[in-house]
């Protein structure tokens, strides 16, 4: 099929399950497509089997065998499962990336973020990266990830970043961007919108809650 330039977006499930659909002509300058729009088509299977599948500004799949990978310049979005079953251990995010969902990146241990990135927590999902241990911000800041879980409200991510042997920080507001987050790490607490973010300390193996909002 040929998608005319007048079509700006192909929505979810539009061609889902059209197994014999093997050739699609569309202009990446004018047309985008939603997740699952072409899933279970011969064309989609072919694209997803490439070493790297990027359409327009979105990275859909990386099948390489490298343990360290740098996101190509110009990529703005990283889709869920892009690194599923990948041996990738280190991922370098470039300045162009605006959102990423690293679900299924089971072996990822280190994430490198460019200094000045404007991604917010709601745009940076590392919830299902069970092996992640380090987050590097720019060339000078290194943080140990003590645990990553999903919060119970608004679907925001919660990231615990270890600061000292007995202190971690808790962030649950999806509007906090990484640049401000790194700044707040050095503070006793910080007001962000309607939230007040405090340090948390371990107390006999349990998390002592000092947060209020």
């Amino acid at each position: 099929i040929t998608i005319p330039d007048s079509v700006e977006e192909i929505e979810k499930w539009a061609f889902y399950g059209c197994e014999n659909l093997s050739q699609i002509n569309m202009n990446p300058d004018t047309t985008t497509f939603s997740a699952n729009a072409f899933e279970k088509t011969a064309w989609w299977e072919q694209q997803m089997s490439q070493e790297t599948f990027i359409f327009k500004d979105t990275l859909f799949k990386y099948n390489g065998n490298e343990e360290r990978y740098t996101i190509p310049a110009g990529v703005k979005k990283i889709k869920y499962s892009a690194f599923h079953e990948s041996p990738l251990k280190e991922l370098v995010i470039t300045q162009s990336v605006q959102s990423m969902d690293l679900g299924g990146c089971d072996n990822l241990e280190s994430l490198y973020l460019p200094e000045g990135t404007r991604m917010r927590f709601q745009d940076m999902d590392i919830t299902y990266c069970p092996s992640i241990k380090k987050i590097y911000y720019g060339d000078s800041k290194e943080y140990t990830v003590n645990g990553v879980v999903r919060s119970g409200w608004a679907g925001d991510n919660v990231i615990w970043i270890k600061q000292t042997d007995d202190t971690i920080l808790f962030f649950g507001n999806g509007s906090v961007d990484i640049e401000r987050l790194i700044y707040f790490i050095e503070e006793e607490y910080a007001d962000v919108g309607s939230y007040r973010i405090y340090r948390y300390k371990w107390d006999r193996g349990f998390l002592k809650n000092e947060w209020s909002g």
Side-chain angles (χ1 to χ4, degrees), residues 35-50:
N36 308 317
F38 297 104
E39 191 172 331
K40 293 191 176 182
T41 67
W43 179 84
W44 183 253
E45 296 299 323
Q46 180 183 13
Q47 304 307 311
M48 294 292 280
S49 66
Q50 298 180 55

Side-chain angles (χ1 to χ4, degrees), residues 56-110:
K56 197 172 184 177
D57 56 9
T58 302
L59 173 63
F60 285 94
K61 191 64 177 176
Y62 171 72
N63 290 310
N65 295 318
E66 302 293 331
E67 292 188 351
R68 181 183 175 95
Y69 179 67
T70 299
I71 301 299
V75 169
K76 295 181 179 180
K77 301 176 184 177
I78 303 173
K79 287 294 188 180
Y80 178 81
S81 292
F83 301 103
H84 181 59
E85 297 183 345
S86 167
L88 190 69
K89 291 184 178 180
E90 298 183 352
L91 182 61
V92 181
I93 303 300
T94 42
Q95 195 71 47
S96 61
V97 177
Q98 298 175 1
S99 66
M100 60 184 182
D101 187 340
L102 302 183
C105 199
D106 294 342
N107 297 310
L108 183 66
E109 297 179 356
S110 301

Side-chain angles (χ1 to χ4, degrees), residues 22-38:
S22 60
Q23 185 172 352
I24 301 173
N25 300 310
M26 55 183 164
N27 186 349
D29 294 331
T30 59
T31 304
T32 61
F33 56 84
S34 300
N36 308 317
F38 297 104

Side-chain angles (χ1 to χ4, degrees), residues 101-163:
D101 187 340
L102 302 183
C105 199
D106 294 342
N107 297 310
L108 183 66
E109 297 179 356
S110 301
L111 182 65
Y112 296 81
L113 300 172
E115 189 167 355
T117 182
R118 303 303 298 176
M119 276 193 294
R120 303 168 299 174
F121 275 125
Q122 63 193 36
D123 303 320
M124 186 186 76
D125 193 343
I126 58 172
T127 306
Y128 301 108
C129 299
S131 302
I132 194 163
K133 298 179 178 67
K134 296 284 186 180
I135 293 179
Y136 299 89
Y137 180 75
D139 297 327
S140 59
K141 294 183 181 292
E142 173 184 335
Y143 301 99
T144 299
V145 179
N146 195 55
V148 183
V149 296
R150 185 173 291 279
S151 74
W153 67 88
D156 292 340
N157 294 331
V158 177
I159 300 180
W160 298 354
I161 300 183
K162 188 175 181 181
Q163 184 176 16

